PDB file of all heavy atoms in Angstrom:
ATOM      1  N   HIS A1126       9.562   0.792  14.007  1.00 97.00           N
ATOM      2  CA  HIS A1126       9.662   0.812  15.542  1.00 97.00           C
ATOM      3  C   HIS A1126       8.426   1.393  15.915  1.00 97.00           C
ATOM      4  O   HIS A1126       7.556   1.673  15.051  1.00 97.00           O
ATOM      5  CB  HIS A1126      10.958   1.590  15.910  1.00 97.00           C
ATOM      6  CG  HIS A1126      10.975   2.957  15.572  1.00 97.00           C
ATOM      7  ND1 HIS A1126      11.022   3.455  14.282  1.00 97.00           N
ATOM      8  CD2 HIS A1126      10.993   4.076  16.280  1.00 97.00           C
ATOM      9  CE1 HIS A1126      11.050   4.699  14.203  1.00 97.00           C
ATOM     10  NE2 HIS A1126      11.086   5.176  15.445  1.00 97.00           N
ATOM     11  N   HIS A1128       7.656   4.217  17.957  1.00 94.00           N
ATOM     12  CA  HIS A1128       7.350   5.559  18.175  1.00 94.00           C
ATOM     13  C   HIS A1128       6.154   6.174  17.632  1.00 94.00           C
ATOM     14  O   HIS A1128       5.708   5.535  16.471  1.00 94.00           O
ATOM     15  CB  HIS A1128       8.534   6.449  17.873  1.00 94.00           C
ATOM     16  CG  HIS A1128       9.860   6.350  18.722  1.00 94.00           C
ATOM     17  ND1 HIS A1128      11.083   6.537  18.356  1.00 94.00           N
ATOM     18  CD2 HIS A1128       9.806   5.620  19.916  1.00 94.00           C
ATOM     19  CE1 HIS A1128      11.916   6.307  19.326  1.00 94.00           C
ATOM     20  NE2 HIS A1128      11.156   5.812  20.354  1.00 94.00           N
ATOM     21  N   ASP A1130       5.121   8.361  15.612  1.00 93.00           N
ATOM     22  CA  ASP A1130       5.106   8.848  14.363  1.00 93.00           C
ATOM     23  C   ASP A1130       5.345   7.655  13.219  1.00 93.00           C
ATOM     24  O   ASP A1130       5.384   7.993  12.134  1.00 93.00           O
ATOM     25  CB  ASP A1130       6.031  10.016  14.030  1.00 93.00           C
ATOM     26  CG  ASP A1130       7.396   9.714  14.405  1.00 93.00           C
ATOM     27  OD1 ASP A1130       7.621   9.002  15.410  1.00 93.00           O
ATOM     28  OD2 ASP A1130       8.259  10.135  13.578  1.00 93.00           O
ATOM     29  N   HIS A1131       5.265   6.488  13.801  1.00 96.00           N
ATOM     30  CA  HIS A1131       5.374   5.417  12.862  1.00 96.00           C
ATOM     31  C   HIS A1131       4.356   4.228  13.100  1.00 96.00           C
ATOM     32  O   HIS A1131       4.364   3.302  12.309  1.00 96.00           O
ATOM     33  CB  HIS A1131       6.844   4.645  13.222  1.00 96.00           C
ATOM     34  CG  HIS A1131       7.935   5.587  12.962  1.00 96.00           C
ATOM     35  ND1 HIS A1131       8.629   5.551  11.692  1.00 96.00           N
ATOM     36  CD2 HIS A1131       8.493   6.646  13.715  1.00 96.00           C
ATOM     37  CE1 HIS A1131       9.578   6.496  11.675  1.00 96.00           C
ATOM     38  NE2 HIS A1131       9.423   7.226  12.796  1.00 96.00           N
ATOM     39  N   HIS A1207      18.264   3.416  18.028  1.00 96.00           N
ATOM     40  CA  HIS A1207      17.225   4.472  18.128  1.00 96.00           C
ATOM     41  C   HIS A1207      16.149   4.018  19.200  1.00 96.00           C
ATOM     42  O   HIS A1207      15.593   4.701  19.963  1.00 96.00           O
ATOM     43  CB  HIS A1207      16.677   4.916  16.877  1.00 96.00           C
ATOM     44  CG  HIS A1207      15.531   5.729  16.909  1.00 96.00           C
ATOM     45  ND1 HIS A1207      15.697   7.192  17.438  1.00 96.00           N
ATOM     46  CD2 HIS A1207      14.228   5.742  16.474  1.00 96.00           C
ATOM     47  CE1 HIS A1207      14.589   7.736  17.393  1.00 96.00           C
ATOM     48  NE2 HIS A1207      13.639   7.004  16.881  1.00 96.00           N
ATOM     49  N   ASP A1228      14.202   5.076  11.470  1.00 98.00           N
ATOM     50  CA  ASP A1228      14.761   6.184  12.234  1.00 98.00           C
ATOM     51  C   ASP A1228      16.167   5.924  12.690  1.00 98.00           C
ATOM     52  O   ASP A1228      16.681   6.523  13.612  1.00 98.00           O
ATOM     53  CB  ASP A1228      13.976   6.601  13.460  1.00 98.00           C
ATOM     54  CG  ASP A1228      12.780   7.411  12.981  1.00 98.00           C
ATOM     55  OD1 ASP A1228      12.505   7.654  11.809  1.00 98.00           O
ATOM     56  OD2 ASP A1228      12.094   7.850  13.953  1.00 98.00           O
ATOM     57  N   HIS A1231      17.701  10.351  11.090  1.00 97.00           N
ATOM     58  CA  HIS A1231      16.699  11.305  10.938  1.00 97.00           C
ATOM     59  C   HIS A1231      16.963  12.199   9.770  1.00 97.00           C
ATOM     60  O   HIS A1231      16.035  12.824   9.249  1.00 97.00           O
ATOM     61  CB  HIS A1231      16.355  12.124  12.140  1.00 97.00           C
ATOM     62  CG  HIS A1231      15.636  11.240  13.289  1.00 97.00           C
ATOM     63  ND1 HIS A1231      16.189  10.349  13.816  1.00 97.00           N
ATOM     64  CD2 HIS A1231      14.243  11.300  13.585  1.00 97.00           C
ATOM     65  CE1 HIS A1231      15.300   9.730  14.748  1.00 97.00           C
ATOM     66  NE2 HIS A1231      14.133  10.362  14.546  1.00 97.00           N
ATOM     67  N   THR A1273      13.359   7.824   5.856  1.00 98.00           N
ATOM     68  CA  THR A1273      11.994   7.764   6.379  1.00 98.00           C
ATOM     69  C   THR A1273      11.476   9.068   6.909  1.00 98.00           C
ATOM     70  O   THR A1273      10.426   9.407   6.865  1.00 98.00           O
ATOM     71  CB  THR A1273      11.874   6.657   7.533  1.00 98.00           C
ATOM     72  OG1 THR A1273      12.072   5.384   6.996  1.00 98.00           O
ATOM     73  CG2 THR A1273      10.591   6.724   8.257  1.00 98.00           C
ATOM     74  N   HIS A1274      12.477  10.040   7.261  1.00 97.00           N
ATOM     75  CA  HIS A1274      12.169  11.437   7.472  1.00 97.00           C
ATOM     76  C   HIS A1274      12.856  12.358   6.554  1.00 97.00           C
ATOM     77  O   HIS A1274      12.938  13.620   6.829  1.00 97.00           O
ATOM     78  CB  HIS A1274      12.500  11.642   9.033  1.00 97.00           C
ATOM     79  CG  HIS A1274      11.658  11.116  10.026  1.00 97.00           C
ATOM     80  ND1 HIS A1274      10.350  11.427   9.954  1.00 97.00           N
ATOM     81  CD2 HIS A1274      11.867  10.254  11.108  1.00 97.00           C
ATOM     82  CE1 HIS A1274       9.689  10.706  11.023  1.00 97.00           C
ATOM     83  NE2 HIS A1274      10.679  10.105  11.664  1.00 97.00           N
TER      84      HIS A1274
HETATM   85 ZN1  LIG B2232      10.376   8.966  13.458  1.00 69.00          ZN
END
Side-chain angles (χ1 to χ4, degrees):
H1126 62 301
H1128 287 165
D1130 55 321
H1131 298 262
H1207 175 61
D1228 282 8
H1231 284 73
T1273 293
H1274 283 306

